[in-house]
């Protein structure tokens, strides 16, 4: 019964996202609506909070999908579910457009000198082996419904990969990400997160 309910929730989320579609405009409207997001996701969508992702420069469609997944309950998070549950389709479009319009973190200038260059090399190898660029793009800036992972918070990438590996992450892209994450060792995940966060 739970499996059937889960499938129905995901179908409902997909139907909602299909109705929303790509945002044409709305970034200006989204700016005012995004004030509620600042406390966790940071000014201009750059998170300073551990295990909370930066939203700046994420693909519009990816952001819309995640909000719809949270709204439907297909993706679980005790903070995001009640917030997303209050959003209309217009709100979702506006927030997606707004955060997509923001400049992402410039990791090269924001990060301290790298004390672990060996992890960068290992992370590059893990990204190539997992074919991360096939969904996230050659520069890992995201593509349509695939997240921007370049410059994302390092510990958040670690958490997300562990969640995918353990089957604890629900919502879009789960099958593909679980397949990629499952064979990764803890060292692989650490190196991959270190590498991606510094791009």
């Amino acid at each position: 019964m739970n499996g059937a309910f889960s499938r129905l929730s995901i179908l409902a989320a997909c139907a909602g996202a299909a109705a929303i579609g790509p945002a044409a405009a709305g970034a200006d409207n989204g700016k005012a609506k995004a004030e509620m997001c600042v406390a966790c996701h940071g000014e201009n969508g750059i998170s300073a909070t551990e295990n909370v992702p930066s939203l700046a420069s994420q693909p519009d469609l990816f952001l819309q999908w995640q909000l719809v997944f949270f709204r439907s309950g297909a993706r679980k998070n005790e903070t995001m579910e009640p917030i997303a549950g209050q959003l209309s389709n217009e709100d979702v479009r506006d927030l997606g457009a707004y955060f997509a319009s923001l400049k992402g973190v410039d990791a090269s200038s924001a990060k301290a000198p790298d004390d672990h260059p060996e992890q960068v090399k290992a992370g590059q190898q893990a990204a190539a082996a997992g074919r991360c660029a096939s969904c996230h793009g050659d520069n890992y800036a995201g593509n349509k419904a695939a997240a921007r992972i370049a410059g994302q918070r390092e510990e958040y990438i670690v958490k997300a990969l562990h969640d995918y590996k353990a089957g604890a992450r629900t919502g879009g892209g789960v099958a593909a990400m679980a397949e990629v994450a499952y064979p990764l060792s803890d060292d692989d995940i650490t190196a991959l997160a270190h590498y991606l966060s510094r791009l």
Side-chain angles (χ1 to χ4, degrees):
M1 192 70 169
N2 287 343
F5 177 75
S6 180
R7 286 191 293 276
L8 287 174
S9 295
I10 291 170
L11 288 173
C14 293
I20 291 168
D28 290 339
N29 293 334
K31 183 174 183 178
K33 294 174 182 179
E35 288 179 9
M36 63 182 170
C37 309
V38 169
C40 295
H41 293 283
E43 290 287 342
N44 298 314
I46 305 296
S47 172
T49 305
E50 187 174 354
N51 286 323
V52 175
S54 293
L55 302 181
S57 198
Q58 288 289 346
D60 185 353
L61 190 58
F62 168 76
L63 292 166
Q64 289 192 52
W65 272 105
Q66 299 313 303
L67 288 172
V68 170
F69 284 134
F70 283 127
R71 186 174 69 180
S72 72
R75 183 172 173 192
K76 305 295 184 188
N77 180 281
E78 62 183 20
T79 302
M80 284 302 303
E81 284 179 77
I83 293 170
Q86 300 175 38
L87 299 177
S88 68
N89 286 353
E90 182 181 6
D91 294 333
V92 170
R93 283 192 296 268
D94 291 345
L95 287 166
Y98 171 66
F99 283 112
S101 74
L102 298 176
K103 186 178 186 308
V105 65
D106 181 358
S108 61
S109 64
K111 306 288 183 189
D114 191 0
D115 292 333
H116 300 285
E118 74 287 353
Q119 287 193 343
V120 170
K121 184 175 180 181
Q124 287 175 319
Q125 292 170 344
R131 296 182 295 122
C132 300
S134 64
C135 291
H136 296 281
D138 290 339
N139 57 358
Y140 304 108
N143 180 29
K144 297 182 181 175
R148 174 189 179 93
I149 50 179
Q152 187 55 271
R153 289 185 62 89
E154 186 169 347
E155 84 289 340
Y156 178 76
I157 297 173
V158 169
K159 178 185 184 305
L161 288 171
H162 279 295
D163 285 350
Y164 280 121
K165 182 172 179 171
R169 175 82 174 253
T170 57
V174 172
M177 282 303 305
E179 184 179 345
V180 169
Y182 186 75
L184 295 175
S185 68
D186 287 352
D187 286 346
D188 291 334
I189 288 174
T190 298
L192 191 53
H194 185 77
Y195 165 60
L196 293 170
S197 70
R198 304 189 73 81
L199 295 177

